[in-house]
Amino acid sequence: MNADRMIVLVDDLRSFVDGRTAEVARTSDAGVELLGRYRDRRLDELWLDHDLGGDDTIWPVVEVLERAAFDKRHFDVGVINVHSANPVGATKVALVLRHWGYYVRVASGSTEVGCLDGPAVS
C-alpha cells in the first residue's frame, strides 16, 4: 500500500480489514466536513456506506459531490466505492454519482471493509 494514497471512508461501523491508512467519518455530517477539508486535494478512493445508523444516510455527502459537479468543480476522486449492504441504496447512490461524471464502483459485500470490534480470530 502506498502511504501517499489518500483514502476516505464514510461508514458508521466498518473499517478496512487490512489496516490501510484512511480518513474515517462515522456520520454524514462528519463525511461532509471531511470532504470539505480535502476539497482541493486528490482523493484516490472514496468509500461510501448508504445507511449510517438511525436515520442518518450518505445522502448529505452525495449532495456535496453533486453540488460540486453542478458548479463544474468536481471533486478529484479516482474511484468512489459504494460498499453498502443496502442494494437499493447503493444502486441509487451509484446512479446519481455516475450521472454527474464520477467513476463509481458498487462494491456491496466487499471483503475490504468489515466490523473490527468482534473477538480476534486466529
Side-chain angles (χ1 to χ4, degrees), residues 38-88:
Y38 290 99
R39 178 62 186 106
D40 296 316
R41 293 177 53 189
R42 174 161 177 84
L43 293 176
D44 295 292
E45 299 175 30
L46 176 59
W47 289 75
L48 303 177
D49 183 20
H50 183 274
D51 302 307
L52 299 174
D55 293 333
D56 196 14
T57 68
I58 201 63
W59 286 106
V61 174
V62 171
E63 289 170 4
V64 168
L65 295 164
E66 281 184 290
R67 171 54 65 180
F70 179 81
D71 292 340
K72 299 191 181 348
R73 289 193 65 232
H74 283 82
F75 278 80
D76 182 9
V77 181
V79 61
I80 299 174
N81 294 289
V82 183
H83 65 276
S84 179
N86 175 337
V88 173

